Amino acid sequence: MKASPKRLWITYSMLFAVLTMVFISSGCSNSNKAGKETESPAPVNSASTEPVDTNSFKFPVDPGSVTLRVGVQDSYYAPASLAKNLPVFQEIEKKTGVKIEWEVTPPAQFAQAIKLKLASGSGYGDVIQAPSVEDMVKYGSEGIFIPLEGLIEKYAPNIKKLMDEDPNIAINHKSPDGHIYGISTLNYSPQQTTWLLRQDWLDKLNLKAPETAEDWLKVLRAFKTQDPNGNNKQDEIPLSIAGNDVTGGINTLAYFSNVFGLHLPGEWWADESGKVSYEWIDDKVKDWLAFAKTLYEEKLLDQEFVVNTSDRETANINNNLVGTVLKHAGNIPIMQSAMKQAGVSSPKWTATIPAKTQSGEQFIVGYPLTSTYVAISKENKHPEITMMWLDYLLGTTEGRRYMTLGIEGESYVVEDDKIKFTDAALHPEPGVDYLRSLGANSILPRLTGFENEEAYWMATDPKMWDQIMDMQKFVVPPFPTLISTEEENAEINSILTDMDTYRQEMLLKMITGKESLDKFEDYKAQMKKLGVDKLISIKQKQYDRVK
């Protein structure tokens, strides 16, 4: 099954301005193609996930007496391959006594390589990254991956505590047969993906950040007509979207859907009664389409938003042409620095909070809780020790900090119970991903939370951290990862093959004026003919199964 489209959130790298996840970004949700992010009960934040053991974790093994073969994708920072036994994992080995024998593959080739290995019948290794959620279920049902819930109960007190405190963790891990076959990274990072605006342009035009859909139109119209870049040309691009294709363009534009009470671009939502809906056929989509059509017709939106590339968008930003983009707030210092190098005087970007619906509601959908899963294979001779090792990585303060922050004294220090990044982490050499060079932010399970983000922003832009924290009161958690059976998977894909193509093409035509908005009811009727009701029925069954 195809993985769901990537959320627009990015990882710590270079200036350490962006955090790993999710999702985002390798931090994609590994939900099935039909199951993207929308609602579930609110997750606990980092302040309420204190580990059972906050200082150390004692293993009943002598150092080096247990070796685990770990088969995962290699680091996204190629110069620091995990196979080099990086400093973070040297320290983890000292703490746990568990030695790692790495079997890594470059990220782009990993899925194919691990599937070939798993099809060979033996030689799997001990700890294996699942190629996808659906593959995890497949190999679990075949007995290649072992059930983990009993091991969690006995040997992972910290993971168990997390699951007890946040029911969404179990929901996002439970397979259709009731077993847990993998352990995922848990993302409790504050939501930071939002519309970024040129604050200096707002100030020049004596405008406030938009609070409603009409405010957005007012601001974008002013950006287009009042020459905020000061070059005496009407060359501004009020709203830039780097779609790269139809799906990317529409999905990015759909981040305005919350102004109309929708939770797009995630397809699925569940109301308070547990009724699941497919939001792309909600009547409120017509209101969003009317707004998007206005943006396009008045050329407030980049006319090339469907095919626009990230490189082209970056060039336009650096050339002082762009007023609004959808990005992780960590991009702000990067963009401002690049613009200054390009000769733009004192550019200033700001992160916006969600605009209000007509009823006054404000919300933004949070990041997916889970991402990539790792499993324990049937060949593992030490499953108990392996589960304790995973519990250390994901559940203890010490393990979490190794996995996300690097090494105390090198990449960070602790002062007054607060994390502070060192100059080496904040200002690495050009092109160096410092944390990954130490071994942090690998694909193995880790818990990302507020302390990482707070440490970065307090060192670089405390006011931005205040804005980010202000945004959190509007965050609603996403729809959970719902894991399909093989039969459900096949049926979902058979429906989506034609339905997704039709939906994207029709929405684009209505936005660009090639079809009238009066065709919206015809669009809904055709979506029903293509099987959307059956799709909703499957998703409702899956939701009820885990709830």
Side-chain angles (χ1 to χ4, degrees):
M1 176 172 284
K2 297 179 182 178
S4 55
K6 289 186 177 181
R7 298 279 279 176
L8 297 171
W9 36 295
I10 36 190
T11 61
Y12 271 130
S13 64
M14 307 303 181
L15 294 176
F16 196 71
V18 209
L19 292 216
T20 297
M21 176 45 215
V22 72
F23 350 60
I24 156 188
S25 164
S26 67
C28 314
S29 169
N30 275 335
S31 57
N32 56 47
K33 182 178 177 184
K36 298 171 189 158
E37 309 87 51
T38 44
E39 185 201 71
S40 61
V44 291
N45 62 31
S46 58
S48 61
T49 55
E50 283 301 316
V52 173
D53 174 6
T54 58
N55 297 308
S56 62
F57 198 86
K58 304 299 184 185
F59 279 75
V61 296
D62 295 326
S65 62
V66 172
T67 297
L68 298 178
R69 291 171 55 201
V70 176
V72 295
Q73 70 183 49
D74 208 349
S75 173
Y76 287 104
Y77 179 56
S81 171
L82 295 171
K84 295 180 179 180
N85 193 24
L86 300 172
V88 158
F89 290 98
Q90 293 176 28
E91 294 300 313
I92 290 173
E93 181 181 340
K94 292 176 185 177
K95 298 291 184 178
T96 65
V98 176
K99 183 177 180 61
I100 301 304
E101 183 179 310
W102 294 99
E103 298 177 356
V104 295
T105 307
Q109 287 84 50
F110 174 77
Q112 181 179 4
I114 198 66
K115 286 181 181 181
L116 288 173
K117 178 180 284 190
L118 292 169
S120 68
S122 63
Y124 311 129
D126 299 309
V127 178
I128 303 169
Q129 175 188 339
S132 70
V133 173
E134 290 71 37
D135 286 319
M136 179 178 70
V137 174
K138 173 181 181 293
Y139 298 125
S141 65
E142 292 174 356
I144 295 174
F145 296 165
I146 66 172
L148 303 180
E149 58 272 11
L151 293 170
I152 292 170
E153 182 71 26
K154 293 181 180 179
Y155 301 105
N158 295 293
I159 294 176
K160 183 179 183 300
K161 183 173 186 287
L162 288 168
M163 288 183 168
D164 289 343
E165 291 182 339
D166 185 0
N168 291 310
I169 298 175
I171 288 170
N172 282 268
H173 281 75
K174 189 181 294 185
S175 296
D177 62 6
H179 289 305
I180 293 174
Y181 291 115
I183 300 295
S184 172
T185 284
L186 299 177
N187 182 32
Y188 290 113
S189 299
Q191 167 64 278
Q192 297 178 67
T193 300
T194 185
W195 294 108
L196 306 182
L197 269 175
R198 286 290 296 273
Q199 181 65 53
D200 50 338
W201 287 11
L202 291 175
D203 294 341
K204 182 176 181 179
L205 302 178
N206 197 28
L207 295 169
K208 295 181 180 180
E211 296 182 358
T212 65
E214 283 303 315
D215 287 348
W216 269 108
L217 292 176
K218 177 182 177 182
V219 166
L220 295 174
R221 285 164 177 156
F223 282 1
K224 179 173 178 57
T225 61
Q226 297 183 31
D227 192 33
N229 66 9
N231 66 354
N232 297 315
K233 299 178 183 177
Q234 198 174 97
D235 57 356
E236 288 84 359
I237 303 170
L239 172 62
S240 175
I241 288 176
N244 293 302
D245 56 27
V246 174
T247 301
I250 290 176
N251 283 354
T252 304
L253 195 53
Y255 274 80
F256 277 116
S257 73
N258 57 353
V259 187
F260 304 96
L262 297 164
H263 308 84
L264 302 171
E267 297 172 343
W268 300 100
W269 194 253
D271 63 18
E272 293 181 358
S273 70
K275 182 180 179 181
V276 174
S277 61
Y278 180 79
E279 286 208 326
W280 283 114
I281 58 170
D282 192 293
D283 286 341
K284 293 189 287 291
V285 170
K286 188 175 182 180
D287 297 327
W288 166 74
L289 284 169
F291 176 78
K293 184 179 181 182
T294 298
L295 296 177
Y296 186 82
E297 286 183 341
E298 296 187 18
K299 297 185 178 180
L300 308 178
L301 169 65
D302 190 330
Q303 300 294 280
E304 304 296 321
F305 78 100
V306 169
V307 297
N308 194 17
T309 65
S310 297
D311 287 345
R312 180 175 176 270
E313 180 177 77
T314 298
N316 287 334
I317 291 171
N318 292 344
N319 288 328
N320 202 24
L321 298 177
V322 175
T324 312
V325 291
L326 180 75
K327 289 185 182 292
H328 187 289
N331 281 283
I332 288 177
I334 297 172
M335 293 191 299
Q336 290 176 168
S337 175
M339 291 177 70
K340 289 176 183 177
Q341 291 179 17
V344 181
S345 177
S346 302
K348 180 65 175 176
W349 288 86
T350 190
T352 65
I353 62 173
K356 298 175 183 177
T357 65
Q358 285 190 338
S359 63
E361 185 181 11
Q362 287 175 278
F363 65 87
I364 185 170
V365 178
Y367 296 136
L369 176 62
T370 53
S371 53
T372 303
Y373 297 74
V374 298
I376 298 176
S377 90
K378 66 179 182 180
E379 293 184 343
N380 190 315
K381 292 180 171 56
H382 308 284
E384 297 87 358
I385 299 301
T386 303
M387 181 53 68
M388 295 173 71
W389 180 75
L390 290 170
D391 191 69
Y392 175 82
L393 301 185
L394 183 63
T396 70
T397 298
E398 188 174 74
R400 292 175 189 174
R401 288 178 174 174
Y402 279 130
M403 294 298 290
T404 60
L405 300 174
I407 298 175
E408 187 173 359
E410 294 187 31
S411 52
Y412 74 96
V413 296
V414 181
E415 296 180 1
D416 299 325
D417 294 324
K418 293 284 188 179
I419 297 295
K420 291 188 177 181
F421 287 115
T422 62
D423 285 342
L426 290 169
H427 307 291
E429 295 294 323
V432 173
D433 188 331
Y434 183 72
L435 290 188
R436 285 199 170 105
S437 75
L438 297 176
N441 292 331
S442 72
I443 205 69
L444 288 172
R446 61 196 184 281
L447 189 149
T448 62
F450 278 57
E451 71 171 1
N452 309 41
E453 309 269 4
E454 181 181 18
Y456 171 75
W457 287 113
M458 290 304 291
T460 58
D461 190 343
K463 290 184 179 179
M464 179 57 66
W465 177 242
D466 290 341
Q467 286 183 257
I468 290 167
M469 289 304 294
D470 187 47
M471 190 190 307
Q472 303 318 300
K473 64 187 177 185
F474 304 113
V475 174
V476 295
F479 193 83
T481 296
L482 300 178
I483 304 174
S484 300
T485 64
E486 287 192 53
E487 294 77 14
E488 289 169 343
N489 185 28
E491 192 163 14
I492 289 169
N493 277 334
S494 69
I495 295 171
L496 288 179
T497 299
D498 293 328
M499 196 181 79
D500 266 356
T501 300
Y502 170 76
R503 173 179 63 82
Q504 292 163 0
E505 290 178 350
M506 194 63 181
L507 291 174
L508 181 62
K509 287 178 180 178
M510 287 188 279
I511 290 169
T512 58
K514 294 179 180 178
E515 290 282 4
S516 168
L517 293 181
D518 293 337
K519 294 284 188 179
F520 185 73
E521 291 303 319
D522 293 342
Y523 155 78
K524 288 172 57 179
Q526 183 62 23
M527 291 286 282
K528 288 182 177 293
K529 289 181 181 179
L530 291 171
V532 71
D533 288 337
K534 179 61 178 176
L535 204 60
I536 294 170
S537 175
I538 294 171
K539 193 58 59 175
Q540 183 72 62
K541 179 181 177 182
Q542 293 177 333
Y543 187 82
D544 293 341
R545 188 164 63 210
V546 297
K547 288 292 184 179

